[in-house]
Amino acid sequence: MERLGQAARAAATAMRRTATGPKNAALLAMAERLTDARAELLAANARDLARGRESGLDAALLERLALDDGRIDAMIEGLAQVAALPDPVGEIDGLRSRPSGIQVGQMRVPLGVIGIIYESRPNVTLEAASLCLKSGNACILRGGSEARESNAAIAACIRTGLLDAGLPEGAVQVVATTDRAAVGRLIAMPEYVDVIIPRGGKSLIERISREARVPVIKHLDGVCHVYLDATADPEKALAIAVNAKTHRYGTCNTMETLLVDAPVAEALLPRLAEAYAGHGVQLRGCERTRTILPEATPATEEDWQAEYLAPVLAIRVVDGIDAAVAHIERYGSHHTDAIVTEHYGLARRFMAEVDSSSVMVNASTRFADGFEYGLGAEIGISTDKLHARGPVGLEGLTTRKYIVLGDGQVRR
C-alpha cells in the first residue's frame, strides 16, 4: 500500500499538468482494449461467479457481480461518454477587479489522489477510473474479493490505455491483494491519499467513516420520501408515487416512505394500493392509513427508518406540510425527498425547509442521479454538506483554488 500510495502521489502531480487531449485519448484507448479483451473479461468473470456460487453468495450479489456482453458494451459506451464531457480542470470563474488593481478569481483543480473502496460490481472499476482520470486525479481502487479476477482483467485494459496515451501507469491502480488490512491502510494514508469514496453496503461505509484519517465522500442510507400534498394533481401524484417506488427497488434514490396529506388520503390511497399490488409491493401503514387500507400491515417505528431496498413501502397520513417536513427531518437520511403539489408557496417551503442533498417538486426521486442531472456520470452520491453534496460527477472530483492576477501591485 505504501508503494501504491507513492506511485499515486507521483502520478497525481503529472496529471495536474495533463491536457484534455491525452486524457480523452487514454479513455478511448481503454474502450478499444475492452473491445479486444471481451473474451478474457467474460472468462475472468465466469471464474468469479463460480467461486461466488461455491462460497454461497446470494442471488442479488451474484447479479451485481455478473458481466455479460450488454454490460461490457455499456462500459465501453461509458468511456466514450466521459471522454465527450467538458473537462472542468482549469476553469476560471468569479474573476473580479479589486481597488488595488489586482484581479481575484477561482480556478478548478483536481483533488489529487482518490481512494475508492467498493463491493461486487466490477464495472465500478472502470467507471471510477474514467471519472478520476478525466478530472485530472490519480486513483487507487480496491474492489471486493468476490470480483478479484474481473477487476484484474479490467485493470489490465486500463493500464494499456494509460500507456498508449503516454500517461503514468500510477494514475489508476487496482489493489491486487484481497487482505482486508489493505483497506485499513488505504484509509489511513493522508500523506498519499486526499479523499476516500466508499461504495457499498452500510457496514462498509460505517467502517470507513469511523476509521478513515482522510476526508470521506459518502452517504449511509437512502430513506427517501414522497409527500402528496392536498393540492396535488391526482394523475401526477399516482405516476410519481408509483415510479419512485417500483422503477427499481435496490437503489438509494428509491422511495421508502410515502406521506399523504389527510384531505386526499381517501381518494388517493385506494388507487395507489391497486397500482402497488400490481407490482407486488407490500404496504405497511400507520393507523390512519389502515383505516383506508385495512390490508396494509401495521407500521412500526422501525419502518419509518427503514431502507428496504425491496418491494416494501411504508405509508403515513399526515396533516399538512408541517407534519410532512417534521417526519422527514426525524426519519430521513438527507438523500432525496419530493413533494407533489400545485401550490407554488408550498413547493418553495418544501425546497427551503427539507434538508436533503436533492429536493424535488413534482418529479420522481429516481431522478437523483448524475446522468439524469446532466453530469454525464457519477462516482456516487454524497449526503455530506462539505465539498460535495448530491450526485458527485466530474466537478465533485475537483476543488477550487484562488488565483490572483496583477501587474506589479504591492500592498500598501
Side-chain angles (χ1 to χ4, degrees):
M1 296 309 296
E2 185 86 7
R3 177 180 57 78
L4 292 179
Q6 291 172 351
R9 181 57 76 198
T13 301
M15 291 301 298
R16 276 203 304 271
R17 57 177 179 264
T18 298
T20 304
K23 291 189 287 189
N24 288 343
L27 293 170
L28 297 177
M30 291 175 196
E32 187 176 334
R33 179 58 189 140
L34 278 173
T35 301
D36 296 339
R38 184 182 297 263
E40 293 99 308
L41 289 176
L42 291 172
N45 187 247
R47 293 191 292 272
D48 283 334
L49 287 169
R51 192 168 51 251
R53 293 188 191 97
E54 290 171 7
S55 63
L57 280 184
D58 64 38
L61 283 176
L62 288 170
E63 194 278 330
R64 292 178 199 158
L65 175 60
L67 289 178
D68 56 22
D69 282 322
R71 288 186 175 180
I72 293 174
D73 288 341
M75 292 161 63
I76 293 168
E77 176 61 24
L79 286 167
Q81 289 177 355
V82 173
L85 291 173
D87 189 344
V89 177
E91 289 180 357
I92 296 174
D93 57 24
L95 200 64
R96 61 195 184 278
S97 297
R98 302 294 302 146
S100 61
I102 63 171
Q103 290 183 293
V104 180
Q106 289 185 305
M107 176 184 285
R108 193 169 287 281
V109 295
L111 290 173
V113 177
I114 300 174
I116 303 173
I117 301 162
Y118 53 102
E119 300 170 332
S120 299
R121 290 188 288 258
N123 57 307
V124 172
T125 302
L126 199 68
E127 291 173 3
S130 64
L131 289 169
C132 289
L133 182 68
K134 183 63 181 267
S135 54
N137 295 287
C139 61
I140 301 174
L141 309 176
R142 205 287 189 175
S145 59
E146 67 279 359
R148 64 177 180 267
E149 292 202 48
S150 304
N151 288 336
I154 293 170
C157 296
I158 293 171
R159 191 177 307 112
T160 301
L162 289 170
L163 294 175
D164 286 351
L167 298 184
E169 195 173 339
V172 181
Q173 299 178 91
V174 177
V175 178
T177 179
T178 59
D179 192 327
R180 286 174 58 86
V183 172
R185 185 70 186 112
L186 178 61
I187 64 177
M189 300 196 302
E191 66 274 29
Y192 300 127
V193 179
D194 295 292
V195 67
I196 292 287
I197 302 177
R199 292 184 58 169
K202 186 174 181 178
S203 60
L204 169 71
I205 297 172
E206 284 180 331
R207 179 202 168 189
I208 301 304
S209 302
R210 183 173 60 250
E211 299 177 12
R213 292 180 51 215
V214 296
V216 178
I217 296 176
K218 54 132 185 11
H219 80 271
L220 282 175
D221 298 298
V223 183
C224 302
H225 301 77
V226 173
Y227 167 54
L228 307 181
D229 172 56
T231 70
D233 178 286
E235 299 311 313
K236 290 180 188 176
L238 185 68
I240 291 168
V242 172
N243 178 264
K245 183 61 201 177
T246 65
H247 184 252
R248 281 185 67 188
Y249 296 115
T251 58
C252 59
N253 57 14
T254 295
M255 173 182 65
E256 303 291 18
T257 298
L258 175 66
L259 304 174
V260 184
D261 204 354
V264 293
E266 286 195 28
L268 290 179
L269 283 179
R271 295 182 65 191
L272 285 165
E274 182 180 0
Y276 289 133
H279 290 276
V281 177
Q282 178 193 134
L283 304 181
R284 301 182 184 179
C286 67
E287 290 184 11
R288 297 166 79 180
T289 298
R290 295 187 68 248
T291 300
I292 303 168
L293 303 176
E295 69 273 19
T297 302
T300 66
E301 184 72 8
E302 288 71 31
D303 285 309
W304 308 128
Q305 305 171 56
E307 183 182 22
Y308 298 114
L309 301 174
V312 181
L313 176 66
I315 303 177
R316 179 172 238 171
V317 176
V318 296
D319 293 313
I321 192 170
D322 289 329
V325 171
H327 179 101
I328 294 169
E329 180 67 23
R330 178 172 179 181
Y331 297 108
S333 61
H334 306 287
H335 192 295
T336 302
D337 299 290
I339 184 173
V340 184
T341 184
E342 295 299 308
H343 191 293
Y344 176 81
L346 293 181
R348 292 282 298 179
R349 273 195 61 194
F350 193 86
M351 287 190 290
E353 296 176 22
V354 172
D355 186 24
S356 297
S357 64
S358 288
V359 181
M360 303 186 170
V361 176
N362 295 334
S364 170
T365 58
R366 286 286 292 127
F367 282 109
D369 172 85
F371 180 80
E372 294 291 344
Y373 282 9
L375 306 182
E378 69 174 43
I379 205 159
I381 288 181
S382 170
T383 55
D384 293 332
K385 296 185 180 181
L386 298 180
H387 179 64
R389 197 177 192 198
V392 181
L394 289 177
E395 284 196 358
L397 298 179
T398 64
T399 186
R400 285 188 171 102
K401 65 182 178 184
Y402 278 99
I403 58 166
V404 176
L405 307 179
D407 187 27
Q409 286 88 353
V410 295
R411 187 168 179 177
R412 303 295 181 186

